[in-house]
Amino acid sequence: EVQLLESGGGLVQPGGSLRLSCAASGFSFSSSAMSWVRQAPGKGLEWVSSISGSGTSTYYADPVKGRFTISRDSSKNTLYVQLNSLRAGDTAVYYCTKGGTYSDSWGQGTLVTVSS
Amino acid sequence: DIQLTQSPSFLSASIGDRVTITCRASQGINNFLAWYQQKPGKAPKLLINAASTLQSGVPSRFSGSGSGTEFTLTISSLQPEDFATYYCQQLNSYPLTFGGGTKVEIK
């Protein structure tokens, strides 16, 4: 059974940083592209970033390009996203998903709140 | 970027009704479209990939069709557990984009 467990969310001030982690199990992590998708409170889904299975290719949504960095550690079966220069508009539940395009499995999400 | 427009954004329906949700793309995306279902407080669930391929375990009352710029998600006979918000997502090119969502509520 595929399991994705996010962690690292919390309250951060504008301009601050956070690193989100996603521990993956139940599938071949090293050969699976992965993604982050976020959802602001009461709003729709927004794709954030994707990374290839090898980690050599990464893709970002325009609003986060230059501020967020996706990465992975296949020795730990863990996906990461470093969130820098955070803004109020980045407040959302961040979901880790399996897949580089469509997301066939999702974690439970971790809430990031950007507020002073 | 490819924009996806879902309609309606909200619909009220009864148990047993046939429900159709439309997703229009701002440019052609072949069949690179997925549909998700999200219930309150839960993560989304993939229903359909490649516009019409039902994911394993998804009831056959769900179906998808379309190609190019116009796509539909149909629920042939609405069940109580189908009341949720549905999203389409284009997979044709980065940045990936989602439609705005369609909330299906009980009439």
Side-chain angles (χ1 to χ4, degrees):
Chain A
E1 179 193 4
V2 172
Q3 291 196 339
L4 301 169
L5 185 61
E6 301 96 335
S7 60
L11 175 63
V12 61
Q13 292 188 339
S17 298
L18 277 179
R19 188 176 81 157
L20 308 183
S21 301
C22 171
S25 62
F27 64 101
S28 176
F29 179 76
S30 60
S31 60
S32 296
M34 300 289 293
S35 298
W36 290 95
V37 175
R38 68 184 181 183
Q39 186 169 36
K43 303 297 185 183
L45 301 173
E46 180 183 21
W47 172 79
V48 173
S49 182
S50 297
I51 187 168
S52 62
S54 64
T56 54
S57 297
T58 57
Y59 308 89
Y60 297 93
D62 287 344
V64 310
K65 204 172 292 184
R67 300 188 299 122
F68 291 9
T69 303
I70 192 171
S71 62
R72 63 192 299 155
D73 185 339
S74 290
S75 69
K76 297 181 179 179
N77 280 6
T78 302
L79 176 72
Y80 304 99
V81 63
Q82 178 70 38
L83 315 178
N84 293 334
S85 303
L86 283 162
R87 309 164 178 166
D90 296 318
T91 294
V93 173
Y94 285 73
Y95 293 103
C96 163
T97 81
K98 175 176 167 286
T101 52
Y102 66 89
S103 295
D104 60 15
S105 296
W106 297 61
Q108 86 290 348
T110 187
L111 176 63
V112 172
T113 302
V114 183
S115 175
S116 54
Chain B
D1 298 1
I2 298 172
Q3 311 303 318
L4 295 180
T5 303
Q6 275 185 248
S7 60
S9 55
F10 173 87
L11 73 86
S12 181
S14 301
I15 302 299
D17 282 354
R18 181 181 181 87
V19 167
T20 299
I21 298 168
T22 297
C23 179
R24 289 188 173 86
S26 59
Q27 62 190 77
I29 59 172
N30 296 298
N31 69 335
F32 296 119
L33 189 98
W35 289 97
Y36 300 87
Q37 176 193 66
Q38 186 179 33
K39 297 181 179 179
K42 301 294 187 182
K45 172 187 174 183
L46 178 66
L47 297 177
I48 288 171
N49 180 33
S52 60
T53 302
L54 208 62
Q55 290 298 109
S56 174
V58 175
S60 59
R61 62 181 179 272
F62 289 92
S63 64
S65 65
S67 183
T69 61
E70 187 151 338
F71 302 85
T72 59
L73 172 69
T74 299
I75 309 173
S76 60
S77 177
L78 200 64
Q79 298 302 300
E81 60 268 31
D82 301 336
F83 291 94
T85 301
Y86 294 85
Y87 295 92
C88 56
Q89 181 195 26
Q90 68 83 15
L91 318 170
N92 184 74
S93 60
Y94 293 103
L96 308 179
T97 45
F98 288 90
T102 296
K103 187 174 185 179
V104 177
E105 289 200 344
I106 302 173
K107 183 183 284 184

